Amino acid sequence: MNTENTIQELMELDKKHFLHPTSPIGQQQEKGPSFIFTEGQGIYLTDMSGKKLIDGMSSLWNVNIGHGREEISEVAAAQMKKLAFSSCFATFSNEPAIRLAAKLAEIAPGNLSATFFTSGGSEANDTAYKLARHYWILKGQPNRQKIISRTKSYHGVSMGATSATGLKPFRDFNTSIAPDFHYAENFSTDSLLEVIEREGAHTIAAFIAEPVQGAGGVHIVPEGYFQEVRRICDEHGILFITDEVITGFGRTGTYFGIEHYDVVPDMMCFAKGVTSGYAQLGGVMISETLHKEFAELSTGTLLHGYTYSGHAMACAVALKNIEIIEQENLIANSKQMGEAMLAGFKKLQQRHDIIGEVRALGLIGAIEVVKDKQTNERFESPLVPQLVAEAANRGLIFRSVVFDGQDTLVFAPPLVISQTEVDAMINILDEVFTVVGKNLVKV
């Protein structure tokens, strides 16, 4: 069977049998999968037809060390040959999980010292909410059950994580969400205080925030925001949770995004970059203080756990992934190439009338699309889907955000990206904005 026939066969099988995550079902049924990828190398993906594209999103914000790392496959295979999986329930353990928990304690901010492992980010977030609520039960304050998050936030798609997500369309997907979730304005500590005053601090378990809001449009907080959040949480006895699922493991030019703000959370959720997508793994870190209190106050079984919590092979992959990040100085490269990417965005901003605000922190960035730079007026219909489609045709993958009236392009290339590759990405973007801009003039 030739390649063309194989592609057609797979497209039909995809339409018939594969219900895709976060995808338009109608589009899939009409056109099939937009790409069937078969190979990845560095910052590039290659599809079944042989088309090579720059993976400007690290696939899903997560392939930090780049595609095709043989060292990872070797470590995974070696661990699977010895022990692929064993349960960590009932205090059973395995060496990779223990070693990884110790390594995370070494690299995490402040006194974050103990890890509960999950299979991914949504599970990590749900775990954090449950641990926070259980903590207050142990402390004799069971009424502290409410969770405050922020508008434009994204925390995952399991029931608790969906309920914490500040992007309303994700909550509207279902007819019911979990109770006791509330939302403060994403840049406003005054709004946080208003929610606390309205609900009563004695009813609030925790406040959760992404150091940089990723899926919500790459929003970077104003100076002093997280320092004030930490002060407010301390004043009102509220646990402070950071969601580092996207921003962890070098993405922002520091190991973890919250380090830019010189504060330490009580809990920290992670996933994605911990394995660079080579295995499914996430987790929640808690402070030494919380860990000690859990140990002192808990008298029975911690009735929360996932089958794959502490998965031996996934933890071995994570250890090797972190080793690569450190040995290849990818955190420093993220900072340096992030500055180069932002400089490229600013050049594009000068060249194209429809580019408004541009921003980046390390290798996570955004370009706002506007109809009028002076007034920040938006187009009646978002323009970014056209830009995404045109870029894909020209060999560059990135993502659009249109929630809450936004018209935004977001980027998160692998941390291994070079200056030459950043330039190639910017050049494609320049072509894309030129073509789409000319089509607007014609209309």
Side-chain angles (χ1 to χ4, degrees), residues 312-342:
M313 184 275 289
C315 290
V317 165
L319 282 165
K320 188 62 178 180
N321 175 70
I322 292 169
E323 179 185 307
I324 290 170
I325 288 171
E326 292 183 343
Q327 288 184 346
E328 298 185 6
N329 296 314
L330 295 185
I331 298 173
N333 195 63
S334 176
K335 182 177 187 297
Q336 185 179 357
M337 291 301 101
E339 291 168 354
M341 183 175 74
L342 181 58

Side-chain angles (χ1 to χ4, degrees), residues 195-261:
V195 176
I196 293 170
E197 183 177 347
R198 183 186 74 223
E199 301 299 323
H202 65 286
T203 71
I204 298 167
F207 171 71
I208 185 167
E210 302 154 277
V212 177
Q213 291 181 319
V218 183
H219 298 289
I220 302 167
V221 298
E223 187 175 348
Y225 173 84
F226 277 120
Q227 289 88 339
E228 181 65 6
V229 162
R230 179 73 270 185
R231 186 195 68 76
I232 291 168
C233 288
D234 288 342
E235 180 181 333
H236 294 279
I238 295 168
L239 297 177
F240 176 31
I241 307 168
T242 53
D243 179 347
E244 296 266 7
V245 170
I246 285 174
T247 52
F249 302 95
R251 172 57 56 195
T252 68
T254 54
Y255 235 128
F256 298 95
I258 199 64
E259 293 178 83
H260 288 282
Y261 308 107

Side-chain angles (χ1 to χ4, degrees), residues 119-179:
S119 299
S122 292
E123 287 183 1
N125 275 270
D126 271 21
T127 297
Y129 314 144
K130 290 180 73 174
L131 287 178
R133 287 164 170 164
H134 185 63
Y135 170 78
W136 289 115
I137 290 172
L138 294 177
K139 295 283 283 184
Q141 299 181 56
N143 289 333
R144 281 188 177 265
Q145 57 198 39
K146 295 174 184 175
I147 307 294
I148 303 175
S149 66
R150 300 189 293 159
T151 58
K152 292 186 170 65
S153 64
Y154 178 82
H155 296 293
V157 293
S158 55
M159 185 53 75
T162 294
S163 303
T165 290
L167 297 167
K168 193 170 180 292
F170 284 91
R171 304 198 305 273
D172 291 344
F173 176 78
N174 278 299
T175 54
S176 178
I177 60 171

Side-chain angles (χ1 to χ4, degrees), residues 71-90:
E71 314 98 294
I72 296 288
S73 63
E74 290 166 0
V75 163
Q79 183 60 47
M80 290 175 79
K81 287 176 183 177
K82 289 198 303 181
L83 176 69
F85 166 76
S86 64
S87 170
C88 290
F89 284 28

Side-chain angles (χ1 to χ4, degrees), residues 100-109 112-113 285 326:
L100 179 58
K103 180 62 179 178
L104 291 169
E106 176 189 317
I107 64 177
L112 293 167
S113 65
M285 296 196 71
E326 292 183 343

Side-chain angles (χ1 to χ4, degrees), residues 40-43 58 63-69 276 278 330 414-416:
Q41 193 65 43
I43 71 162
S58 297
V63 188
N64 288 11
I65 63 170
H67 298 279
R69 302 298 296 248
S276 289
Y278 284 80
L330 295 185
L415 309 190
V416 294

